[in-house]
Amino acid sequence: MTERRRDELAANLADVERRIAAACAAAGRGRAEVTLIVVTKTFPAGDVRILSELGVRHVAENRDQEAAPKAAECSDLPLSWHFVGQLQTNKVRSVVGYADFVQSVDRARLVTALAREAVRAGRELGCLVQVALDADESAAGGGRGERGGVAPGAVAELADLIAGSEGLRLDGLMTVAPLTGEYAGRQQAAFERLMDLSTDLRTAHPAANMVSAGMSTDLEQAVAAGATHVRVGSAVLGVRPGLG
Ligand SMILES: *Cc1c(COP(=O)(O)O)cnc(C)c1O
């Protein structure tokens, strides 16, 4: 059973690796410029362990309730944990206990809570501002995306807040390709917009150079646009049981 699962994950991982390598070659980029993050949500800790043995170094989760026990079971593995889901402030203490990166930072109140808990835990937490390319810029507060994230016009202020917070390190930007609005069905254009926002961000924060974009179906477009991190779930682990 475990042996079969290992073969399956190894084959899927090799396929994803080939896709990333081909996308890098097509874009004239070095393979080392793109980091694969495997999104392990809904799959068991046993799969995470196999992935670690197969050489995966970055994993991502989107629900604290599921991620906290999984990370605890895998605490002996040389993995970086990325939190990529919408995060309630009452889950922040738990998330700061295992996450190395929170990619879904999208409001000032969350920054304050993350900073407080990171300081309390004596750690430095990497933060990415999640950008909602489908947000309504004209809404109060700059608008929010359907799946979390701040409108492009609100990125700079939130980034400054993170950069000025003890316990937090501003690492870059993240997005999920919108299903609605002007970028619906235009992943590459969406990711290019994220790259432009990253260029703007780096004039004020040169070290904040992570650009997290692209999933199983659109990793090629993300690599073409210049993403430094792709977040791949189903192409490695298979179709997720139920929602997620
Ligand atoms: C689930 C998820 C992914 C991975 O999606 P797949 O389509 O399974 O590759 C990437 N990013 C976020 C934020 C996710 O929630």
Side-chain angles (χ1 to χ4, degrees):
M1 182 66 186
T2 306
E3 222 26 66
R4 257 206 12 227
R5 183 60 171 155
R6 178 188 305 273
D7 291 348
E8 185 178 14
L9 293 180
N12 290 348
L13 204 52
D15 187 49
V16 166
E17 179 51 43
R18 270 192 298 273
R19 288 176 57 192
I20 296 172
C24 285
R29 304 181 63 198
R31 171 64 188 89
E33 293 176 46
V34 179
T35 299
L36 169 65
I37 302 170
V38 179
V39 185
T40 48
K41 66 188 183 199
T42 77
F43 291 95
D47 281 355
V48 177
R49 192 162 290 277
I50 294 171
L51 289 168
S52 175
E53 288 165 6
L54 292 171
V56 168
R57 290 295 169 260
H58 294 267
V59 294
E61 289 283 332
N62 72 337
R63 286 173 58 242
D64 173 61
Q65 201 179 320
E66 178 190 345
K70 208 185 287 187
E73 262 189 79
C74 296
S75 62
D76 59 315
L77 303 175
L79 291 170
S80 290
W81 290 79
H82 297 250
F83 192 86
V84 299
Q86 292 188 42
L87 180 52
Q88 304 301 314
T89 48
N90 64 351
K91 304 286 188 190
V92 162
R93 183 169 298 183
S94 173
V95 168
V96 168
Y98 56 86
D100 299 288
F101 299 88
V102 173
Q103 298 203 1
S104 44
V105 180
D106 64 356
R107 59 200 190 279
R109 247 170 60 80
L110 182 56
V111 174
T112 311
L114 287 167
R116 184 174 53 236
E117 293 304 330
V119 167
R120 222 179 77 95
R123 359 186 5 205
E124 185 181 69
L125 184 69
C127 292
L128 281 72
V129 175
Q130 181 177 348
V131 183
L133 294 167
D134 57 349
D136 178 5
E137 295 265 9
S138 62
R144 310 258 310 214
E146 201 68 56
R147 295 188 280 177
V150 293
V155 169
E157 191 179 337
L158 197 60
D160 288 346
L161 185 64
I162 295 168
S165 296
E166 204 187 332
L168 306 183
R169 184 183 66 241
L170 177 67
D171 280 338
L173 302 179
M174 180 272 252
T175 202
V176 177
L179 298 172
T180 58
E182 64 169 313
Y183 290 109
R186 300 171 59 226
Q187 287 93 332
Q188 186 147 345
F191 299 147
E192 282 166 1
R193 176 86 169 103
L194 186 72
M195 279 308 297
D196 289 343
L197 293 167
S198 168
T199 302
D200 292 347
L201 177 71
R202 281 175 285 140
T203 61
H205 304 283
N209 57 9
M210 283 175 66
V211 180
S212 174
M215 319 200 297
S216 290
T217 56
D218 53 20
L219 71 88
E220 282 84 1
Q221 287 90 336
V223 171
T228 63
H229 290 70
V230 292
R231 308 178 308 270
V232 179
S234 49
V236 172
L237 289 142
V239 176
R240 279 184 290 277
L243 288 176

